[in-house]
Amino acid sequence: MNIIQGFFFAFTVQAIILAVILFLKKSTQRYQNRIWAIFLMLFALNLLYNVTYWINPSSRPTIVFSWSWFLLLALYGPLFYFYVRSLVIGKRISLRKDFFHFLPFVFVLLNFGRLYIQPYEIKGRVYATGALTEYVLVSDYIIYLILSLGLVVYAWICYRMGRTKYSDDPEMKAWLNAVVFSFFLFGLSWWVFYAIGALNMYTIEADYVIGFSMVLMIALTSYFGYIHSDVFNGKPLKNVFPFVKYKNSGLSKQLLVDLKEKLANTVQQEGLYLDCELKLTDLASKLNISRHHTSQVINESFGVSFYEYINRLRIQEAEKLLADEKSKHLNITDIAYKSGFNNRVSFYNSFKKHFGITPSEFRSKKMMAAS
């Protein structure tokens, strides 16, 4: 194993570890994380096969699993689509309604099924001679071309979904475009690989380059998906993409001031921040303005993201409860929920970050001062 192969093997291990972490991680995006965890696990298996092939093209594992990566290729597009769809519109997979997305996988299984069940000796002969005809229904080149085209098609579908959903929200549109474009380049790299093979220009170095591009695109897609919760909670996208700015927002300075007052009154007087399920979209509906404008009002008027703004109010509420003699019967978990936090851990972390001490220590100090 040389240095380059070692790099890919290391990335394979990291992808598997990340997939396990994402699958087990407790989060409001748990469903989406699990879809991407499955995607990463399949991609890791794909890379593992590549490393095995690069080390020894004639090794037993290489021959045994030679055509199995077609199954993985058939799943990348649907999984990416389900991932983006669940992030953007919150729609989950329905086996009855979404079965057609798995038809390419079923077709690959049927096409190569007879070959998959053959003993090693027969697979070795087919691998060495390229005599697939008697074992498959459709040429592997045609299957490869169709499946790689499918990746680009799914990227286009997701792009259209975002253009419709975020027509009046340039920040969210930019975020989704970054996710989709990264996946599009991933799909394009499979096309390039196909072209290299079809033109008999294949070299191990070219394979490395394609592999590097795939790894980079998957890493970028994973990153953009990782920052999803921050972006959805109003984190200024210019903090993620420096080239993104508030363009053509349509908010004059006076309107910004008016909306700031309206927003503050709505959130505080109606106690919206006490709802642990409150989202930026919910607040935008209350104000009857777009999500983008709501985010802009908070970012420019208060200098923080939506999440930070709401957390600040929740911390202030917790501070009152912890210092109130009438609330001494409430434990720290009760205080957390009454303040709008959805779990004790996030409350502790936010409170300690704000005051430098834990809620329990804060309460003790206040009680001692009162006595």
Side-chain angles (χ1 to χ4, degrees):
M1 183 184 292
N2 60 34
I3 295 176
I4 296 177
Q5 293 162 1
F7 164 82
F8 281 106
F9 181 73
F11 188 88
T12 300
V13 174
Q14 290 177 6
I16 293 172
I17 293 173
L18 179 58
V20 172
I21 292 173
L22 283 175
F23 197 85
L24 299 177
K25 183 181 179 182
K26 293 183 178 180
S27 164
T28 53
Q29 281 81 45
R30 189 172 186 176
Y31 181 78
Q32 293 87 348
N33 286 344
R34 287 187 168 183
I35 294 177
W36 196 247
I38 295 171
F39 185 104
L40 282 177
M41 186 65 75
L42 296 183
F43 185 64
L45 293 175
N46 206 148
L47 277 182
L48 186 60
Y49 170 79
N50 288 352
V51 172
T52 303
Y53 174 81
W54 293 333
I55 293 174
N56 184 359
S58 302
S59 68
R60 189 182 185 96
T62 302
I63 293 173
V64 170
F65 298 105
S66 276
W67 300 274
S68 59
W69 57 267
F70 278 98
L71 293 170
L72 308 181
L73 182 55
L75 290 174
Y76 290 145
L79 284 174
F80 178 73
Y81 168 72
F82 294 140
Y83 175 69
V84 171
R85 189 180 69 178
S86 63
L87 285 177
V88 174
I89 61 178
K91 188 175 180 180
R92 297 195 170 207
I93 300 172
S94 167
L95 290 179
R96 182 172 61 85
K97 294 181 180 179
D98 293 318
F99 177 74
F100 69 93
H101 289 286
F102 296 101
L103 289 179
F105 176 84
V106 174
F107 181 74
V108 169
L109 196 58
L110 292 173
N111 190 63
F112 292 99
R114 191 177 168 207
L115 186 60
Y116 289 154
I117 62 175
Q118 296 302 317
Y120 168 72
E121 291 72 23
I122 292 179
K123 285 184 178 178
R125 178 178 61 80
V126 174
Y127 181 81
T129 62
L132 279 171
T133 312
E134 57 184 298
Y135 294 101
V136 299
L137 302 171
V138 181
S139 162
D140 55 339
Y141 277 98
I142 294 176
I143 296 294
Y144 183 99
L145 188 62
I146 293 172
L147 294 180
S148 55
L149 174 62
L151 299 180
V152 177
V153 170
Y154 273 110
W156 172 250
I157 292 172
C158 291
Y159 168 76
R160 295 276 298 181
M161 184 195 308
R163 193 169 71 171
T164 302
K165 176 71 175 179
Y166 303 126
S167 58
D168 62 342
D169 195 336
E171 287 214 331
M172 290 306 302
K173 190 186 293 184
W175 165 79
L176 186 61
N177 285 348
V179 175
V180 171
F181 187 65
S182 297
F183 186 77
F184 168 76
L185 292 179
F186 171 70
L188 196 62
S189 64
W190 284 90
W191 274 59
V192 173
F193 183 77
Y194 172 83
I196 289 175
L199 296 172
N200 293 319
M201 296 171 60
Y202 176 83
T203 63
I204 193 72
E205 290 76 16
D207 209 357
Y208 287 158
V209 172
I210 299 300
F212 271 119
S213 67
M214 289 183 178
V215 165
L216 177 61
M217 292 313 115
I218 293 303
L220 284 174
T221 307
S222 300
Y223 168 72
F224 294 133
Y226 174 77
I227 64 171
H228 154 264
S229 58
D230 286 339
V231 176
F232 271 51
N233 280 319
K235 181 176 182 178
L237 207 58
K238 58 186 177 183
N239 292 351
V240 182
F241 308 120
F243 53 84
V244 175
K245 307 217 179 268
Y246 288 115
K247 294 181 180 178
N248 303 319
S249 70
L251 295 184
S252 64
K253 288 185 178 180
Q254 184 56 51
L255 182 56
L256 202 60
V257 171
D258 293 341
L259 285 175
K260 174 188 176 182
E261 184 177 352
K262 182 181 179 182
L263 185 148
N265 289 338
T266 301
V267 171
Q268 295 179 47
Q269 291 178 10
E270 296 186 23
L272 297 183
Y273 61 94
L274 299 177
D275 179 5
C276 65
E277 299 294 330
L278 182 68
K279 297 181 177 63
L280 181 61
T281 308
D282 302 327
L283 180 55
S285 295
K286 277 278 186 182
L287 298 173
N288 199 29
I289 59 176
S290 73
R291 179 195 171 286
H292 171 62
H293 284 159
T294 306
S295 177
Q296 182 184 354
V297 172
I298 296 174
N299 298 159
E300 297 191 7
S301 300
F302 300 100
V304 293
S305 69
F306 165 77
Y307 179 77
E308 292 167 325
Y309 173 67
I310 296 300
N311 251 22
R312 183 188 293 173
L313 295 175
R314 288 170 176 166
I315 290 297
Q316 290 173 5
E317 181 70 21
E319 180 185 6
K320 293 176 187 175
L321 292 172
L322 289 168
D324 189 354
E325 188 73 21
K326 296 178 181 178
S327 300
K328 64 180 181 180
H329 65 285
L330 297 175
N331 60 37
I332 299 301
T333 303
D334 292 333
I335 297 289
Y337 288 125
K338 279 187 171 292
S339 302
F341 289 91
N342 59 8
N343 65 76
R344 182 186 175 101
V345 174
S346 62
F347 170 56
Y348 256 85
N349 292 339
S350 297
F351 194 92
K352 190 169 184 180
K353 182 180 179 181
H354 188 81
F355 287 102
I357 57 176
T358 66
S360 301
E361 292 169 340
F362 179 88
R363 172 179 262 180
S364 297
K365 285 189 176 183
K366 287 294 181 182
M367 295 303 175
M368 287 178 61
S371 61

